[in-house]
Amino acid sequence: MTPPEVPVTGPQGRGAGSAPAVSVCASPRVEVLRQRADFLRAASARRQGAPGFLLQARPRKPDEPVAPDLIRVGFTCSKKVGNAVARNRAKRRLREVARLVLPGAGRPGWDYVLVGRPGATAERDFAAMLDDLRRALTEVHSDKPRKPRPEPVPPKGPRRGRG
């Protein structure tokens, strides 16, 4: 009696000569924002609050030297979120939420910044954060009119004292 034939597998465990089990989809590429100027431009554009974070978003102008089919995203947490360990944990959660949601719900040609909230980003249920980002993206991309931001109040009179 001969032993049953064992299939030959390649180094990744698939059959020799078979196609890799990786799907190549036409979803938009997501890149991380690193320049401070990009964060500042996003901060002065549209924003949408969510229980776990604040979403800032802006459409890029056609003359910017960035591929138009690219989605860019940045992450930030202030010291109000906590010490370095807490801020890094919050940013890791924001990165994972963006990785799962932005390729499907984000728009190419847009920059997004996710800002962590003190006491909420690190503790909020992960599934709820996914829903928060989907909802915030829907609101940001809707064409309903937005309330203008209040203008900063100028000082009332000349400053007194030294200086």
Side-chain angles (χ1 to χ4, degrees):
M1 181 176 214
T2 60
E5 188 137 340
V6 178
V8 178
T9 60
Q12 285 80 26
R14 61 181 190 265
S18 67
V22 176
S23 67
V24 179
C25 56
S27 66
R29 265 189 13 220
V30 178
E31 191 175 277
V32 177
L33 292 176
R34 301 200 189 278
Q35 300 291 320
R36 184 172 190 271
D38 293 328
F39 281 87
L40 294 176
R41 280 193 289 270
S44 64
R46 299 178 184 185
R47 55 181 57 202
Q48 179 63 44
F53 55 85
L54 171 71
L55 174 69
Q56 301 170 339
R58 77 175 188 97
R60 287 192 303 272
K61 295 184 174 125
D63 61 341
E64 291 186 44
V66 179
D69 62 336
L70 196 62
I71 295 174
R72 299 193 312 170
V73 62
F75 311 95
T76 184
C77 290
S78 71
K79 287 190 176 181
K80 291 178 185 178
V81 172
N83 62 11
V85 174
R87 291 193 308 271
N88 287 333
R89 180 169 189 251
K91 284 191 277 188
R92 276 196 307 272
R93 288 175 58 104
L94 291 174
R95 276 194 292 271
E96 186 62 13
V97 167
R99 185 186 72 82
L100 294 172
V101 173
L102 278 181
R107 288 191 183 171
W110 281 69
D111 290 347
Y112 303 100
V113 175
L114 293 168
V115 182
R117 290 189 184 242
T121 304
E123 287 86 25
R124 185 152 170 84
D125 181 54
F126 191 75
M129 286 184 65
L130 293 171
D131 291 338
D132 290 345
L133 182 56
R134 286 186 193 100
R135 198 171 306 113
L137 286 168
T138 303
E139 286 292 319
V140 162
H141 293 304
S142 71
D143 291 331
K144 67 181 183 181
R146 291 165 179 43
K147 293 188 294 186
R149 287 202 201 119
E151 292 293 322
V153 179
K156 293 191 177 188
R159 263 182 97 172
R160 296 185 183 189
R162 289 187 259 176

